[in-house]
Amino acid sequence: MKATALLCLLVCIAITSASSQKLDSLSIESYTAAANGILKSGLTRMGAYKVLKELTSKVGARLSGSPQAAKAVEWGRKVMGEMGFQNVHLEPVMVPHWVRGPVEDARLLGPRGINRKLHICALGGSIATPPGGVTGEVIEVKSFEQLRALGDSAKGKIVFFNRPFDQTKFNTFEAYGGAVDQRGRGAVEAAKVGGVAAIVRSMSSRIDYVPHTGAMQYVDSVTKIPTAAVSTRDADIIDSLLASGEKVMLRLKLSCKQLPDVESANVVGELVGTEHPEEVIVVGGHLDSWDKGQGAHDDGAGCAQSIEALRLLKEMALKPRRTIRAVLFMNEENGLAGGKAYAAKDRPGEKPIAAIETDAGGFTPRGFGVQADSEVFEKIARWDFLFKGMDADRIVRGGGGADISPLARKGIPMIGLRVDEQRYFDYHHSDSDTFDKVNERELELGAIAISILSYTLAQEGI
Amino acid sequence: MKATALLCLLVCIAITSASSQKLDSLSIESYTAAANGILKSGLTRMGAYKVLKELTSKVGARLSGSPQAAKAVEWGRKVMGEMGFQNVHLEPVMVPHWVRGPVEDARLLGPRGINRKLHICALGGSIATPPGGVTGEVIEVKSFEQLRALGDSAKGKIVFFNRPFDQTKFNTFEAYGGAVDQRGRGAVEAAKVGGVAAIVRSMSSRIDYVPHTGAMQYVDSVTKIPTAAVSTRDADIIDSLLASGEKVMLRLKLSCKQLPDVESANVVGELVGTEHPEEVIVVGGHLDSWDKGQGAHDDGAGCAQSIEALRLLKEMALKPRRTIRAVLFMNEENGLAGGKAYAAKDRPGEKPIAAIETDAGGFTPRGFGVQADSEVFEKIARWDFLFKGMDADRIVRGGGGADISPLARKGIPMIGLRVDEQRYFDYHHSDSDTFDKVNERELELGAIAISILSYTLAQEGI
């Protein structure tokens, strides 16, 4: 048995090395040195934080179609130019132009003479109410099934969607995913049963008075009714009143408007590959934000990190063999026009090989989610050792980002930066998403991770 | 070869199962169910946050020997009692009683008529200056070697220790460790070369005007001189002035005092084991804090998590076979009297089997550091699957906590909760360490991780 055991051991070792290496030892050494250098450089200069500070303070919130979004585009071009990126240019794209307008008011008017202001904000895309508002009795539901089961009793009422963000999930994106249908489709479903307006509990991991906006959609075949998000604390108050069996009346006033589409742009800059310039790795986040807060985590962080990822390579004089292209996408929040236009654009002679997005907030990175065939996934997963020193070496299947999803649909491997997601929905789409919520080191570590991955992709190809 | 390959595979599988299991499948199932239940329960109630809110708002900062520390002890006993823990009691311990006093002032007095207030705070344990202060020329050093090399030229001067917290390290505790000798031994080393006072750059990951205090030590054979921390931004200002070659004068006034030792206590409460009550797992943090901020992350978080870890087991009606004992240690910050007294106390018939500490802030947990012999380490490391669902399954060698280090010196396995440490030194030992810097979910996840580990230890033993 001894000889067999030894043989076994040898086979085991052979299997192990075959699956864990593929890079020769010289490459391992040189990539490790590059990764360590990028880490050190990044944490010395904290470039992502500087870029994000500029974006949030000089531009601030920047909803698609707004003058601030136009300013952000110019800012992005200027920053990339000043950093010496190559082929810095804008790629025009038409985007929707929805404006919130000056009036945004909701009041509880009863029971028992209550007259209480609620903390609300229109959902992105909502129509306005008549100037005098929409007044109606509130009817609460937790699901569309429950709403449909109500039959006629929702007619003429204000439908209140109150299925909460599920705090018991470790993965906050899952919790968000479990609630967000109410925001996206609530107005349509409410209108189908005769509701006159829809209010939706904010998709937030905090119980407070901050409402969180986000996109909603109408469909042509259903009457459009106005819709707004209400803060989690207000939602709880309405729920308690209803639970006591009393009739709750609400008046909602919104003055939002959909204006004609506007020309805007994706902002693009590159480090051109020295050996295969035609092979391109896209690194991006989205430049637009909601019109709340400063769009710091969502997704100023991703833009700052994408820019910093390239800047770090320049600073380190690491010359990528393939082209690394930073793209600040326009209009992720309410249309995805930038992401679609980027993927649709004809780029003769070009071969996109991977796209990386960071759009989960500027928090400590933990790894990457890779949506690609097994061979590509396994190749990338074998580079995990480059991220071990920063505890960001969890490379898992699945992931990506909205802006690069049109590229993925064309078969291009799509990668998303995975971060510590516990705080994201405290801030997301609200007045709380401001620069002071971003930690300098956490933000930079994300940029560093992307820089290392994009460089390795550029050297090794797919 | 085919048969050999198959045999190989079987041996491989056998090796794998031997090393990764040890628990039978029924146990795996039951521990997994317990872990999932604890996770869900914790994130539903967020008990740790509630406890920490109470401690920080009702008690606030609580330096050993202070009336607030006494209040914290009573608070701890009350909370554990109300939660129905068993054998709730105090274990008396004498602690030092240092007070900051009302006067704390530092001014740059020159060059060129500058009269600028600096943001400083006395280091814990420092003597006072004479009422008129100590005035002297500032001499800057980055290390004790450099200081010693100065010879007589430091005589009569105020020594300024300005070796920064190394931001380039991913592990912020390493960065802290690389700077903290200046705080602990700076006054002694400065006095040895004739310095009249020592000021020390704050050990912080931020550049701002917030000074960070911490313990310093005198030795009997060397003249005691007063010593204070200066904010990182002020440190940079002094450094720039000195770099310009000008003579920088500073006046330091401190009114701190060392009062006679005071009786205080460790606060203890238990879930008594159903099968081996004499075998004890300690779960703790430290109840004292510095007299700055609210001691929220350091280490109110650890106290709240230790209490919550036990409460979760009670809520889930999970009955530990061995005793799980929560200990809120007194005097970690400036003496470790509580930790030493706990370990020194005679406990007839008792067999301590492990001690877990959480004292790295209430941030998202990533795993545990285990200081134990290989067999124990490997046993605990095999439980990593219980923490996978919350991405906290990195169980590594080495770690623990100051309060439980006296237990470790007696050979008891010592375990420290490892957390995302990027933000810790933004707040540590300063006015910034307040409740609002703690995220509810991140804090609770730490409590959950400790609850799961202590329960598994209680069931499986060591």
Side-chain angles (χ1 to χ4, degrees), chain A residues 172-173 284-286 296-299 301-302 305 357-364 400-401 416-425 427-428:
Chain A
T172 55
F173 282 88
H286 64 84
H297 277 292
D298 188 12
D299 183 29
Q305 288 172 326
E357 180 151 7
T358 160
D359 183 20
F363 305 103
T364 308
L417 181 71
R418 294 177 67 235
V419 300
D420 184 330
E421 68 222 358
Q422 298 304 316
R423 285 171 283 150
Y424 190 53
F425 293 98
Y427 314 133
H428 185 247

CSV table of all heavy atoms in Angstrom, one decimal, chain A residues 172-173 284-286 296-299 301-302 305 357-364 400-401 416-425 427-428:
chain,number,residue,atom,x,y,z
A,172,THR,N,-27.3,42.4,1.4
A,172,THR,CA,-28.3,43.4,1.4
A,172,THR,C,-28.9,43.6,0.0
A,172,THR,O,-30.0,44.2,-0.2
A,172,THR,CB,-27.7,44.8,1.9
A,172,THR,OG1,-26.5,45.1,1.1
A,172,THR,CG2,-27.3,44.7,3.3
A,173,PHE,N,-28.1,43.2,-1.1
A,173,PHE,CA,-28.6,43.3,-2.4
A,173,PHE,C,-29.8,42.4,-2.6
A,173,PHE,O,-30.7,42.7,-3.4
A,173,PHE,CB,-27.5,43.1,-3.5
A,173,PHE,CG,-26.7,44.3,-3.6
A,173,PHE,CD1,-25.6,44.5,-2.8
A,173,PHE,CD2,-27.0,45.3,-4.6
A,173,PHE,CE1,-24.8,45.6,-3.0
A,173,PHE,CE2,-26.2,46.4,-4.7
A,173,PHE,CZ,-25.1,46.6,-3.9
A,284,GLY,N,-15.5,50.4,-15.6
A,284,GLY,CA,-16.4,51.5,-15.5
A,284,GLY,C,-17.3,51.6,-14.3
A,284,GLY,O,-17.5,50.6,-13.6
A,285,GLY,N,-17.9,52.7,-14.2
A,285,GLY,CA,-19.0,53.0,-13.2
A,285,GLY,C,-20.0,53.9,-13.9
A,285,GLY,O,-19.8,54.2,-15.1
A,286,HIS,N,-21.0,54.4,-13.2
A,286,HIS,CA,-21.9,55.3,-13.9
A,286,HIS,C,-21.8,56.7,-13.4
A,286,HIS,O,-21.7,56.9,-12.1
A,286,HIS,CB,-23.3,54.8,-14.0
A,286,HIS,CG,-24.0,54.6,-12.7
A,286,HIS,ND1,-24.7,55.7,-12.1
A,286,HIS,CD2,-24.2,53.6,-11.9
A,286,HIS,CE1,-25.2,55.3,-10.9
A,286,HIS,NE2,-25.0,54.0,-10.8
A,296,ALA,N,-22.6,59.9,-4.0
A,296,ALA,CA,-21.2,59.6,-3.6
A,296,ALA,C,-20.9,58.2,-3.8
A,296,ALA,O,-20.1,57.8,-4.5
A,296,ALA,CB,-21.0,60.1,-2.2
A,297,HIS,N,-21.7,57.3,-3.0
A,297,HIS,CA,-21.5,55.9,-3.2
A,297,HIS,C,-22.1,55.4,-4.5
A,297,HIS,O,-21.5,54.5,-5.1
A,297,HIS,CB,-22.1,55.1,-2.0
A,297,HIS,CG,-21.3,55.1,-0.8
A,297,HIS,ND1,-20.1,54.4,-0.7
A,297,HIS,CD2,-21.4,55.7,0.4
A,297,HIS,CE1,-19.6,54.5,0.5
A,297,HIS,NE2,-20.3,55.3,1.2
A,298,ASP,N,-23.2,56.0,-4.9
A,298,ASP,CA,-23.9,55.5,-6.1
A,298,ASP,C,-23.9,56.6,-7.2
A,298,ASP,O,-24.8,57.4,-7.2
A,298,ASP,CB,-25.3,55.1,-5.7
A,298,ASP,CG,-26.0,54.4,-6.9
A,298,ASP,OD1,-25.4,54.1,-7.9
A,298,ASP,OD2,-27.3,54.2,-6.8
A,299,ASP,N,-23.0,56.6,-8.1
A,299,ASP,CA,-21.9,55.7,-8.2
A,299,ASP,C,-20.7,56.6,-8.5
A,299,ASP,O,-19.8,56.3,-9.3
A,299,ASP,CB,-22.1,54.7,-9.4
A,299,ASP,CG,-21.0,53.7,-9.5
A,299,ASP,OD1,-20.3,53.4,-8.5
A,299,ASP,OD2,-20.8,53.3,-10.6
A,301,ALA,N,-18.4,56.8,-6.5
A,301,ALA,CA,-17.3,55.9,-6.1
A,301,ALA,C,-16.8,55.1,-7.3
A,301,ALA,O,-15.6,55.0,-7.5
A,301,ALA,CB,-17.8,55.0,-5.0
A,302,GLY,N,-17.7,54.6,-8.0
A,302,GLY,CA,-17.3,53.7,-9.2
A,302,GLY,C,-16.6,54.5,-10.2
A,302,GLY,O,-15.6,54.0,-10.8
A,305,GLN,N,-13.1,55.3,-8.8
A,305,GLN,CA,-12.3,54.1,-8.8
A,305,GLN,C,-11.8,53.7,-10.2
A,305,GLN,O,-10.7,53.3,-10.4
A,305,GLN,CB,-13.1,52.9,-8.1
A,305,GLN,CG,-13.2,53.1,-6.6
A,305,GLN,CD,-14.2,52.1,-6.0
A,305,GLN,OE1,-15.1,51.6,-6.7
A,305,GLN,NE2,-13.9,51.7,-4.8
A,357,GLU,N,-17.3,46.3,-13.8
A,357,GLU,CA,-18.0,47.5,-13.3
A,357,GLU,C,-17.9,47.5,-11.7
A,357,GLU,O,-17.8,46.5,-11.1
A,357,GLU,CB,-19.5,47.4,-13.7
A,357,GLU,CG,-20.3,48.6,-13.2
A,357,GLU,CD,-21.5,49.1,-14.0
A,357,GLU,OE1,-21.8,48.4,-15.0
A,357,GLU,OE2,-22.1,50.1,-13.7
A,358,THR,N,-17.9,48.7,-11.2
A,358,THR,CA,-18.0,48.9,-9.8
A,358,THR,C,-19.2,49.8,-9.5
A,358,THR,O,-19.1,51.0,-9.8
A,358,THR,CB,-16.7,49.4,-9.2
A,358,THR,OG1,-16.9,50.0,-7.9
A,358,THR,CG2,-15.9,50.4,-10.1
A,359,ASP,N,-20.2,49.3,-9.0
A,359,ASP,CA,-21.5,50.0,-8.7
A,359,ASP,C,-22.2,49.5,-7.5
A,359,ASP,O,-23.4,49.4,-7.5
A,359,ASP,CB,-22.4,50.0,-10.0
A,359,ASP,CG,-23.6,50.9,-9.8
A,359,ASP,OD1,-23.6,51.8,-8.9
A,359,ASP,OD2,-24.6,50.6,-10.5
A,360,ALA,N,-21.4,49.2,-6.5
A,360,ALA,CA,-22.0,48.7,-5.2
A,360,ALA,C,-21.6,49.5,-4.0
A,360,ALA,O,-21.7,49.1,-2.9
A,360,ALA,CB,-21.7,47.2,-5.0
A,361,GLY,N,-21.1,50.7,-4.3
A,361,GLY,CA,-20.6,51.6,-3.2
A,361,GLY,C,-19.1,51.5,-3.0
A,361,GLY,O,-18.5,50.5,-3.3
A,362,GLY,N,-18.6,52.5,-2.4
A,362,GLY,CA,-17.1,52.6,-2.2
A,362,GLY,C,-16.7,52.0,-0.9
A,362,GLY,O,-16.0,52.6,-0.1
A,363,PHE,N,-17.1,50.7,-0.7
A,363,PHE,CA,-16.8,50.0,0.5
A,363,PHE,C,-15.6,49.0,0.3
A,363,PHE,O,-15.2,48.8,-0.8
A,363,PHE,CB,-18.0,49.3,1.0
A,363,PHE,CG,-19.2,50.2,1.2
A,363,PHE,CD1,-20.2,50.2,0.2
A,363,PHE,CD2,-19.3,51.0,2.2
A,363,PHE,CE1,-21.3,51.0,0.3
A,363,PHE,CE2,-20.4,51.9,2.4
A,363,PHE,CZ,-21.4,51.9,1.4
A,364,THR,N,-15.1,48.5,1.4
A,364,THR,CA,-14.0,47.6,1.4
A,364,THR,C,-14.3,46.4,0.4
A,364,THR,O,-15.3,45.8,0.5
A,364,THR,CB,-13.7,46.9,2.7
A,364,THR,OG1,-13.6,48.0,3.7
A,364,THR,CG2,-12.4,46.2,2.7
A,400,GLY,N,-21.5,41.3,-12.0
A,400,GLY,CA,-21.3,42.3,-13.1
A,400,GLY,C,-21.8,43.6,-12.8
A,400,GLY,O,-21.6,44.1,-11.6
A,401,GLY,N,-22.5,44.2,-13.7
A,401,GLY,CA,-23.1,45.6,-13.4
A,401,GLY,C,-24.1,45.9,-14.5
A,401,GLY,O,-24.0,45.4,-15.6
A,416,GLY,N,-18.0,42.1,-11.8
A,416,GLY,CA,-18.4,43.1,-10.9
A,416,GLY,C,-17.5,43.1,-9.6
A,416,GLY,O,-17.2,42.0,-9.1
A,417,LEU,N,-17.1,44.3,-9.2
A,417,LEU,CA,-16.4,44.3,-7.9
A,417,LEU,C,-17.3,44.0,-6.8
A,417,LEU,O,-18.4,44.6,-6.7
A,417,LEU,CB,-15.8,45.7,-7.7
A,417,LEU,CG,-15.0,45.9,-6.4
A,417,LEU,CD1,-13.6,45.1,-6.5
A,417,LEU,CD2,-14.7,47.4,-6.1
A,418,ARG,N,-17.0,43.1,-5.9
A,418,ARG,CA,-17.8,42.7,-4.8
A,418,ARG,C,-17.2,43.5,-3.5
A,418,ARG,O,-16.0,43.4,-3.3
A,418,ARG,CB,-17.9,41.2,-4.5
A,418,ARG,CG,-18.5,40.5,-5.6
A,418,ARG,CD,-18.5,39.0,-5.4
A,418,ARG,NE,-19.3,38.6,-4.2
A,418,ARG,CZ,-18.8,37.9,-3.2
A,418,ARG,NH1,-17.6,37.6,-3.1
A,418,ARG,NH2,-19.6,37.7,-2.2
A,419,VAL,N,-18.1,44.1,-2.8
A,419,VAL,CA,-17.7,44.9,-1.6
A,419,VAL,C,-18.5,44.5,-0.4
A,419,VAL,O,-19.5,43.8,-0.5
A,419,VAL,CB,-17.8,46.4,-1.9
A,419,VAL,CG1,-17.0,46.8,-3.1
A,419,VAL,CG2,-19.3,46.8,-2.1
A,420,ASP,N,-18.0,45.0,0.7
A,420,ASP,CA,-18.8,44.9,2.0
A,420,ASP,C,-20.1,45.7,1.8
A,420,ASP,O,-20.0,46.9,1.8
A,420,ASP,CB,-18.0,45.4,3.1
A,420,ASP,CG,-18.6,45.1,4.5
A,420,ASP,OD1,-19.9,45.2,4.5
A,420,ASP,OD2,-18.0,45.0,5.5
A,421,GLU,N,-21.2,45.0,1.8
A,421,GLU,CA,-22.4,45.7,1.3
A,421,GLU,C,-23.3,46.1,2.5
A,421,GLU,O,-24.5,46.5,2.2
A,421,GLU,CB,-23.1,44.8,0.4
A,421,GLU,CG,-23.7,43.5,1.1
A,421,GLU,CD,-23.5,42.2,0.4
A,421,GLU,OE1,-23.0,42.2,-0.7
A,421,GLU,OE2,-23.9,41.2,1.0
A,422,GLN,N,-22.9,46.0,3.7
A,422,GLN,CA,-23.8,46.2,4.8
A,422,GLN,C,-24.4,47.6,4.9
A,422,GLN,O,-25.5,47.8,5.4
A,422,GLN,CB,-23.1,45.8,6.1
A,422,GLN,CG,-22.7,44.3,6.2
A,422,GLN,CD,-23.8,43.4,6.0
A,422,GLN,OE1,-24.9,43.6,6.5
A,422,GLN,NE2,-23.6,42.4,5.1
A,423,ARG,N,-23.6,48.6,4.5
A,423,ARG,CA,-24.0,50.0,4.7
A,423,ARG,C,-24.7,50.6,3.5
A,423,ARG,O,-25.3,51.7,3.5
A,423,ARG,CB,-22.8,50.9,5.1
A,423,ARG,CG,-22.4,50.7,6.5
A,423,ARG,CD,-21.1,51.5,6.8
A,423,ARG,NE,-19.9,50.7,6.2
A,423,ARG,CZ,-18.8,51.3,5.8
A,423,ARG,NH1,-18.7,52.6,5.8
A,423,ARG,NH2,-17.8,50.5,5.3
A,424,TYR,N,-24.6,49.9,2.3
A,424,TYR,CA,-25.0,50.6,1.1
A,424,TYR,C,-26.4,51.1,1.1
A,424,TYR,O,-26.7,52.2,0.7
A,424,TYR,CB,-24.8,49.5,-0.1
A,424,TYR,CG,-24.9,50.1,-1.5
A,424,TYR,CD1,-24.2,51.2,-1.9
A,424,TYR,CD2,-25.8,49.5,-2.4
A,424,TYR,CE1,-24.3,51.7,-3.1
A,424,TYR,CE2,-25.9,50.0,-3.7
A,424,TYR,CZ,-25.1,51.1,-4.0
A,424,TYR,OH,-25.2,51.6,-5.3
A,425,PHE,N,-27.3,50.3,1.6
A,425,PHE,CA,-28.7,50.7,1.5
A,425,PHE,C,-29.2,51.6,2.7
A,425,PHE,O,-30.3,52.0,2.8
A,425,PHE,CB,-29.7,49.5,1.3
A,425,PHE,CG,-29.4,48.8,0.0
A,425,PHE,CD1,-28.6,47.7,-0.1
A,425,PHE,CD2,-30.0,49.4,-1.1
A,425,PHE,CE1,-28.4,47.1,-1.3
A,425,PHE,CE2,-29.7,48.8,-2.4
A,425,PHE,CZ,-28.9,47.7,-2.5
A,427,TYR,N,-27.8,54.5,2.5
A,427,TYR,CA,-27.5,55.7,1.8
A,427,TYR,C,-28.2,55.8,0.4
A,427,TYR,O,-28.6,56.9,0.0
A,427,TYR,CB,-26.0,55.9,1.6
A,427,TYR,CG,-25.2,55.7,2.8
A,427,TYR,CD1,-24.0,54.9,2.7
A,427,TYR,CD2,-25.5,56.2,4.0
A,427,TYR,CE1,-23.2,54.7,3.8
A,427,TYR,CE2,-24.7,56.0,5.2
A,427,TYR,CZ,-23.6,55.2,5.0
A,427,TYR,OH,-22.8,55.0,6.1
A,428,HIS,N,-28.3,54.7,-0.2
A,428,HIS,CA,-28.7,54.5,-1.6
A,428,HIS,C,-29.9,55.4,-2.1
A,428,HIS,O,-30.9,55.4,-1.4
A,428,HIS,CB,-29.0,53.0,-1.7
A,428,HIS,CG,-29.4,52.5,-3.1
A,428,HIS,ND1,-30.6,52.1,-3.4
A,428,HIS,CD2,-28.6,52.3,-4.2
A,428,HIS,CE1,-30.7,51.7,-4.7
A,428,HIS,NE2,-29.4,51.8,-5.2
